[in-house]
Structure formats: structure tokens, C-alpha cells
Amino acid sequence: MTLQAKLDAFKADFKAGKPPYNAPADIHPVMERATAELIASGAVSHALKVGDTAPLFTLKDPEGQPVSSADQLAQGPLVLTFYRGVWCPYCNMELQALQAFLPVIQDAGASLLAISPQIAANSRKSQRINELQFPILSDSRNDVAAAFGLRFELPPYLIELYKNLRNDLPTFNDDPAWTLPMPARYVIGQNGVIRYAEVNPDYTQRPEPEAMLDALRG
């Protein structure tokens, strides 16, 4: 089953309120409204694209050790995935798919980094529950996401919904701002130029890992 097929199956079960989700039916129109408004805003047009130069950054891994994109690029191409957090099931399924694809990435001489606004403890949880063998970096205040053109603010009505669902982003991220990155995946060449870019304001849609094969091998 493809990654998107798994995401679609989860979405169908979630909307149907099947156990263990038991999600209230009235939350779905609110989430869908927020996604539709983000798409309509044109925010995705501000995200970095193929041919752009990727900004350099240094972020900390779950053990507090700094990881530099410049150091990673000195060793080979770099794959970046920006995701929302351990609380997002769509993100977790994507991370699992990337973990399964990791040998292909490494065979191409590339490395893989995941970037999230969450604190280190939540990144450790992400690594544990998804059995990841690549680093998750904490992007405080979504600053690196902003440099890639991915950061956006949640609308007030969605903030209220998240609060009611106990999805407390300020606690998860140690940041009072209610911001998230649009899910994105990049392949960056050793010269710092983006070879592959896939950004989607609809968090339920994610590209297959295989979609970046040509960029990895390029």
C-alpha cells in the first residue's frame, strides 16, 4: 500500500469516528475549512522551490547536540522533511514511510533530517514510536520553516478547536505562538540548490518517498 493510500484510509476511519479515534463529527468541517482557507491564501507560493538556494541552519537534535546543514551537505545531498509534530498521525505515517525508504537515501550518498517545532522530549517520542534511525531537529518558533517559506499562523477558530482537543501547541513546542509549518519535503544538492520540492498546505496529502528518486540520483 502506498503512503497516500494509508493516509486516505486513516482519514476515512477518522472521519467515520471509528475506534480508537472516536472523533466528534463536528470537528471535521472546521479542520477542512482551515485547510481550504490556507490553500486559498496562496501561502504555498512563498515556499522555496526547485532552483532556489536553501538557507543554511543549525538546529539541535533530541539529545541537545547541534546539527548543521552545512556539515551535512559537505558529506552529500540532504533530504529535509518538515512536519507538524508527534501529535499528527499523518506526519507519523510519513516518517515511517521515510524510515522504510532510508536505505535508498543512504545508498544515494544522501542524509535525511526531519524538522519540527516541537521540543526535544516530543522529538524523542517521535523517534521512539516510529522507530526512526534519522535525527529529528527542534525548530524553535518555526524559524527555519519560515526561512523556507513554510510557517503559517493558525486562525483563531482552529486554535479554539485545538484547545478543546487538548492539542496544546504552546506546550508541545514551548512557544506561545500558534504556528505550524506546511508539510514539505526537499532534496538539496551539495551546492545548496534545491533539486526537489514538494509543499502542500493540505496536511493529509504527502508525496511518496519514491517521488524524489531522480533528484537523489541527480
Side-chain angles (χ1 to χ4, degrees):
M1 184 182 292
T2 65
L3 169 59
Q4 191 58 52
K6 292 178 182 178
L7 297 176
D8 291 342
F10 168 81
K11 184 177 181 179
D13 287 348
F14 183 62
K15 289 189 70 172
K18 292 183 179 180
Y21 314 117
N22 301 317
D26 59 353
I27 72 172
H28 303 300
V30 179
M31 292 179 170
E32 290 167 0
R33 173 190 170 189
T35 297
E37 289 179 354
L38 182 59
I39 293 170
S41 74
V44 72
S45 66
H46 302 297
L48 295 187
K49 302 173 179 62
V50 172
D52 290 338
T53 298
L56 296 175
F57 60 84
T58 299
L59 296 173
K60 290 184 179 180
D61 69 13
E63 308 309 319
Q65 297 302 309
V67 177
S68 161
S69 62
D71 290 346
Q72 298 291 314
L73 288 169
Q75 302 173 41
L78 176 59
V79 177
L80 296 180
T81 181
F82 287 85
Y83 78 104
R84 292 149 34 108
V86 67
W87 51 271
C88 172
Y90 298 93
C91 298
N92 290 325
M93 283 186 271
E94 181 182 23
L95 291 176
Q96 292 164 16
L98 288 170
Q99 173 59 44
F101 195 70
L102 184 59
V104 178
I105 294 173
Q106 293 173 332
D107 286 347
S111 56
L112 169 62
L113 298 175
I115 298 177
S116 165
Q118 67 192 3
I119 61 175
N122 289 323
S123 291
R124 288 193 291 271
K125 183 178 180 180
S126 285
Q127 288 185 310
R128 183 174 67 254
I129 67 174
N130 295 304
E131 301 181 345
L132 305 181
Q133 297 173 346
F134 55 88
I136 295 176
L137 308 183
S138 293
D139 180 19
S140 177
R141 298 181 299 277
N142 276 304
D143 286 341
V144 173
F148 277 79
L150 305 173
R151 183 175 65 191
F152 70 96
E153 295 183 5
L154 275 66
Y157 66 84
L158 188 60
I159 292 174
E160 288 306 309
L161 175 63
Y162 274 30
K163 287 178 177 177
N164 291 337
L165 295 174
R166 297 181 181 178
N167 197 0
D168 186 1
L169 296 189
T171 298
F172 290 150
N173 301 339
D174 191 24
D175 175 13
W178 287 79
T179 68
L180 286 173
M182 290 183 286
R185 194 181 305 157
Y186 289 98
V187 176
I188 305 169
Q190 283 193 271
N191 60 356
V193 175
I194 296 172
R195 295 180 181 173
Y196 170 91
E198 183 64 39
V199 183
N200 198 325
D202 182 350
Y203 62 90
T204 70
Q205 302 292 311
R206 309 293 171 103
E208 301 301 320
E210 292 81 5
M212 58 184 172
L213 263 177
D214 289 344
L216 279 172
R217 294 169 175 168

